[in-house]
Amino acid sequence: MIWWLHARAIPLVAATVVGAFLAALLVGRTAIPVPNLAGPAGELLVVQLLGAAPVLMLLHGIERGDTAAEAVAVRSARMRNLALCLTLTVTCSVAAAVLRVAVNSSECVSLARNVAGFLGVALLIRGIAGPALASVVVAVLPLLCAAAGWGPGGRPYAWAWPVHPANSHVAIVEAFVLLVLGCTMVLLREQPIVTVQRPYS
């Protein structure tokens, strides 16, 4: 089991989670400029982008295994991968709740919510088109939402949940619905639905 956790790069994932929460406490509400594509100008808080880091590390760890060999293993790789995903989500949610009470950090709540939502998106795309595209989508999604997700009055559209404030119930529900859908995809499929054929050199 210890070997399997190291093979999945779990120490690296754990370090990324700790680093993300420490960074969230340090940067607070620091925003980065994002070009405006439609509607009024918005902002992307650094903490809203940080949620992608643990997800990308976990996705990298999951894909380090040999899926062909694990498909015939006695112990289900799908269930273990699902357990890792749920452990990441629960860990981030508990950490956010503790930091919210201890230091009144709403930024950590946004971080935990975005980890859950980004993970759901990553697992969905991974099951449809593979891990490479899933990583790209997770990295680009918060930037897209910050660039095109702002409606009249400077309020984010409902679909742009990564840039919603921490107290947005709509964003929390969307993020966890995406997580449920992503986890369902993990149970249903190990290989992507769409495979990209590489041309012969």
Side-chain angles (χ1 to χ4, degrees), residues 4-195:
W4 188 85
L5 292 175
H6 278 279
R8 286 297 190 273
I10 299 308
L12 180 59
V13 175
T16 306
V17 170
V18 173
F21 275 95
L22 288 177
L25 293 174
L26 290 175
V27 301
R29 295 193 57 79
T30 302
I32 58 176
V34 177
N36 181 29
L37 300 180
E43 63 178 8
L44 176 63
L45 301 180
V46 173
V47 70
Q48 293 169 338
L49 187 60
L50 284 173
V55 173
L56 292 173
M57 288 299 102
L58 181 62
L59 191 62
H60 165 71
I62 289 176
E63 296 306 321
R64 286 175 48 159
D66 185 345
T67 55
E70 291 177 348
V72 295
V74 175
R75 297 178 180 176
S76 173
R78 293 182 188 180
M79 293 304 296
R80 289 188 174 192
N81 289 338
L82 178 61
L84 289 179
C85 295
L86 294 178
T87 299
L88 174 64
T89 306
V90 171
T91 300
C92 291
S93 299
V94 171
V98 170
L99 292 171
R100 176 64 172 163
V101 173
V103 296
N104 196 27
S105 173
S106 61
E107 290 77 18
C108 290
V109 176
S110 292
L111 173 60
R113 177 200 69 202
N114 284 7
V115 166
F118 291 150
L119 181 58
V121 170
L123 296 176
L124 275 173
I125 302 300
R126 171 182 178 264
I128 295 172
L133 183 58
S135 298
V136 172
V137 171
V138 169
V140 171
L141 181 60
L143 299 174
L144 175 63
C145 291
W150 300 91
R155 308 184 89 177
Y157 290 116
W159 61 265
W161 55 267
V163 297
H164 277 237
N167 60 357
S168 171
H169 295 99
V170 172
I172 292 174
V173 169
E174 287 185 64
F176 279 91
V177 166
L178 286 169
L179 178 65
V180 170
L181 293 175
C183 290
T184 303
M185 181 66 79
V186 171
L187 293 177
L188 293 178
R189 297 198 64 82
E190 188 60 37
Q191 298 296 328
I193 297 172
V194 178
T195 56

